[in-house]
Amino acid sequence: MKFEAVLFDCDGVLVDSERISTGVLSDMLQELGLPVSHDETLRRFVGKTMKDELAWISRASGQAVGADWLAEFWRRRNEALRKHVQAIPHVLETVKLLHQRLDGRIACASGADRDKLELQLNKTGLMPYFQGRTFSGYEMARSKPSPDVYLAAAAALKTDPAACVVIEDSVTGVTAGLAAGATVLGYSPGGPAHSPPDALLGSGAIAVFADMARLPALLGVDR
């Protein structure tokens, strides 16, 4: 595989956060009178941007849900993440290796808000490898599945998107990476927090892997 840079999604790819965040979200949806289970919340919201889902929550609950509700979600979510978020198994070693081999040409391009993005990378020890190269979909004109956040990351690395490999775990993210013109690898270790392999392949990922320790070999990078 010929490439010059690797662009990582964050939630579910670098950090094991989806069940934490959607657990808080499920609780808050139930407080609005929506009987949505944790697994149902995962299936509906993983890979989505919360700001883009407020209209659906308002319609489904019959209550006006806006900036104040979103701010309370973020507060409760961040509190839970500070306590519980962990790095994806083997990702620290993999990211460190790629950072060395590619002279720092790696970036994190997330659909999450910047507070969440930086909290998680700092908490898990990943931030030193992504310092100055973190990109939030909330700061773009359009969120995933639009390509904006990946285009911004590639531009910051002064790399043609076609020479980038994107690592994603959701159909929404795969769609965004392909729309940017990048090659996409899917990460799917199992469970409802990640899109299944067939869905990632069907969306255009060229391969799917279940263990972050395998990523360097997939990219042709020697340990």
Side-chain angles (χ1 to χ4, degrees), residues 25-137:
L25 178 57
S26 178
D27 289 345
M28 291 185 66
L29 293 176
Q30 291 181 39
E31 291 166 10
L32 290 172
L34 289 174
V36 184
S37 71
H38 193 172
D39 282 353
E40 290 171 329
T41 305
L42 276 167
R43 284 190 289 270
R44 174 166 183 85
F45 290 95
V46 164
K48 305 290 182 62
T49 301
M50 278 300 300
K51 67 177 181 177
D52 295 336
E53 297 300 309
L54 292 181
W56 179 87
I57 295 171
S58 293
R59 289 195 303 273
S61 67
Q63 301 183 50
V65 173
D68 290 344
W69 187 91
L70 183 58
E72 176 62 10
F73 166 69
W74 282 343
R75 185 192 68 77
R76 289 166 62 172
R77 178 208 64 191
N78 288 355
E79 181 180 350
L81 289 168
R82 285 189 191 96
K83 292 179 181 177
H84 303 297
V85 72
Q86 297 182 3
I88 291 290
H90 307 299
V91 82
L92 274 166
E93 310 94 290
T94 292
V95 164
K96 180 179 179 179
L97 176 66
L98 293 176
H99 185 269
Q100 292 172 341
R101 293 289 192 272
L102 297 173
D103 295 324
R105 290 192 305 278
I106 65 172
C108 178
S110 172
D113 55 281
R114 182 158 293 279
D115 283 348
K116 181 186 184 189
L117 177 58
E118 294 185 350
L119 182 162
Q120 295 182 137
L121 294 179
N122 281 311
K123 173 74 174 178
T124 56
L126 284 159
M127 183 58 90
Y129 306 108
F130 293 103
Q131 192 71 53
R133 297 180 306 282
T134 60
F135 303 86
S136 165

Side-chain angles (χ1 to χ4, degrees), residues 167-216:
I167 314 300
E168 271 286 357
D169 73 324
S170 72
V171 168
T172 300
V174 171
T175 303
L178 289 175
T183 298
V184 182
L185 292 175
Y187 174 65
S188 184
H194 308 267
S195 294
D198 58 345
L200 296 174
L201 292 168
S203 300
I206 64 166
V208 176
F209 63 104
D211 183 349
M212 274 294 166
R214 289 193 60 220
L215 180 56

